[in-house]
Amino acid sequence: MTRHPQTTLVHKVHATLRDHAMCAPGDHLLVALSGGADSMALLHSLHELAPRLGLTLSVAHLNHSIRGEAADRDQLFSSQAARALSLPYYTDTVNVPALAHNTQIGLEEAARQARHAFLHEVASSCGARRIAVGHHKGDMAEQLLLNLLRGSGLKGLGAMEPVTASGIIRPLITLSREEITAWLTARDLTHVTDQTNSDTTYTRNRVRHRLIPFMESAFNPSTVDTLARTAALLRDDEAWLQEMTETLYTDCLLCHEAPHLELSAPKLLTLHPAARNRVLRHSVATLCGSTRTLTTAHIENLSLLLKQGRAGRSIDLTRGLRGVLTRGSLHLQLETENLRKRRPALLAETPPFAYTIDRPTPTRPLNLTITETGDQLLFRCTRTPAALSLSRDVQRVFLAPEAAAFPITVRNTRPGDRFRPEGGQGSRKIGRFLADCQVEGPMRSQIPLVVSKEDILWVAGYRLDAAATAPPPGYPALEIVLQKYKKG
């Protein structure tokens, strides 16, 4: 037995609400009402279901000031529709054309941003947990095609999420435009028609009125159903891949303290290119809140920066975002100033510093914090351990007590600094030694040097001087531990 269209639509909306966990008993939903057919079907179907599901409804309408008197008519129609159902109604008017001009973005994007901000502001003020919008199956198919034509990846081809992280829900997403129109007609419910929806100067309208009808007539009469089903399958794949991406991101993350994020360059380079690109995109989303202005070219440039492996290089991405490669790390940094007028803050020279350390005692170790870098050095009297390797790239070293003439100095590099690396041959300039260690020029000034009189005992974290070797195992020794500052 075929259900009456009145029953069928409400049944489908109820099933969608349930299957996607869009709401719970006691929830307050804000209904975005444009006055068009889809939003009127949304409003009346939710109003019918509200007592059964224990829902509270409010209604919101934004006048975008794009269509003059027609926009004012829609605003009045929406208020009357809400009033007829005795529902709280919220409205506002935003000059979207002026907003688009001032922000230098497209009219459609400006309208989307204004509507998004308005709906979330109203939802917050009235206590609504979810915002219900009237997108249906046809909108899903159109969005998939639009994103495909723009060159989108898997996430874009998933088109529209039935439930978004920001609280948007789409209860009509399984319904066709024809089902919605038939339901409104059967109930004798009126709606307004936006004449711009037939204006084929807009890409979306050309997809709706030309591309999809052509695909239906020439290839597949069920094009909309097929595209909507494909989008659902791709969303499932994307959700699974996103879980994997978050695991990989956590594994690569070294620190995150806004506006800075640091990733392990070696770990990123071991990933499959597709996985690496996903981790990079996820990192930008984590730092910036979204990836709306991030392009495929941006991600490719970041990946190229990694593969070239030239520490000290940086690239400018989008919205004040920079990628900076250092020894072993890829940094993402948000900066507020004009990127073209300054070097990345991460690669700025560290001001000269010098600290004096007295001799520690067996009962009194000494701890030094280098204000300029945040690094710490711990000095204490101990004994040489049984197993001890060369001091190459370590953060804990042991010196013969007589090698250090206290008070000793901890400072950063100066022109002409030289030392004799343990395990090497002869004297070397500190700058050349650090260059061979792939430390980019500006960051060499961050590395602390432990200096006794005029002799450099330790390039902290890199190498001891040959004269500062440890005594035999079990003998008294001076232990120095470097604790690198990590954001986050």
Side-chain angles (χ1 to χ4, degrees), residues 162-241:
V163 182
T164 73
S166 63
I168 300 291
I169 62 173
R170 297 182 167 96
L172 305 184
I173 205 64
T174 62
L175 292 156
S176 68
R177 185 177 283 108
E178 292 73 22
E179 287 177 292
I180 291 170
T181 303
W183 188 80
L184 291 173
T185 301
R187 293 217 165 186
D188 198 24
L189 293 172
T190 59
H191 63 276
V192 293
T193 301
D194 182 351
Q195 296 302 321
T196 63
N197 286 339
S198 59
D199 184 355
T200 53
T201 59
Y202 294 102
T203 304
R204 179 177 292 277
N205 289 341
R206 290 199 301 276
V207 169
R208 177 180 302 169
H209 298 298
R210 294 180 182 175
L211 180 56
I212 290 181
F214 172 72
M215 294 172 69
E216 289 174 331
S217 62
F219 297 99
N220 181 358
S222 301
T223 290
V224 169
D225 288 339
T226 300
L227 291 174
R229 186 168 60 252
T230 298
L233 293 172
L234 294 177
R235 283 197 303 274
D236 286 343
D237 287 347
E238 172 64 22
W240 175 63
L241 287 170

Side-chain angles (χ1 to χ4, degrees), residues 26-105:
D27 272 355
H28 187 165
L29 303 186
L30 179 66
V31 181
L33 188 66
S34 67
D38 47 6
S39 70
M40 289 299 291
L42 175 70
L43 174 66
H44 284 274
S45 60
L46 288 178
H47 184 259
E48 182 172 325
L49 289 168
R52 192 189 324 173
L53 302 180
L55 303 176
T56 300
L57 303 181
S58 294
V59 180
H61 174 91
L62 182 65
N63 184 336
H64 298 91
S65 303
I66 295 177
R67 296 179 294 115
E69 292 182 0
D72 297 335
R73 174 208 64 187
D74 295 354
Q75 190 173 31
L76 176 61
F77 180 86
S78 297
S79 68
Q80 292 171 342
R83 191 179 304 116
L85 298 177
S86 300
L87 296 176
Y89 176 71
Y90 303 87
T91 190
D92 197 4
T93 301
V94 174
N95 190 337
V96 169
L99 178 65
H101 175 77
N102 293 336
T103 57
Q104 296 185 332
I105 60 177

Side-chain angles (χ1 to χ4, degrees), residues 431-452:
R432 174 54 59 188
F433 169 77
L434 291 175
D436 290 344
C437 292
Q438 300 182 10
V439 181
E440 50 276 16
M443 298 196 73
R444 296 171 198 166
S445 61
Q446 299 179 13
I447 297 170
L449 307 178
V450 178
V451 183
S452 174

Side-chain angles (χ1 to χ4, degrees), residues 2 16 50 79 100 110 121 178 213 221 288 308 312 319 359 407 441 469 482:
T2 304
T16 301
S79 68
E121 182 180 349
E178 292 73 22
C288 301
Q308 289 177 337
R319 297 188 300 175
R359 184 183 295 275
T469 55
L482 171 66

Side-chain angles (χ1 to χ4, degrees), residues 147-167:
N147 291 345
L148 178 64
L149 293 171
R150 292 167 183 157
S152 176
L154 192 60
K155 182 174 177 61
L157 297 181
M160 298 175 176
E161 293 280 356
V163 182
T164 73
S166 63

Side-chain angles (χ1 to χ4, degrees), residues 265 301-317 321-333 335 342-348 438-444:
N301 289 339
L302 264 181
S303 190
L304 182 61
L305 179 69
L306 264 170
K307 288 185 286 188
Q308 289 177 337
R310 301 177 68 177
R313 292 297 181 93
S314 67
I315 57 171
D316 297 342
L317 299 168
L321 179 65
R322 267 182 162 146
V324 182
L325 187 66
T326 63
R327 182 174 179 258
S329 297
L330 176 67
H331 303 259
L332 296 176
Q333 182 84 26
E335 300 187 20
R342 58 173 294 185
R343 283 178 58 80
L346 196 65
L347 299 180
Q438 300 182 10
V439 181
E440 50 276 16
M443 298 196 73
R444 296 171 198 166

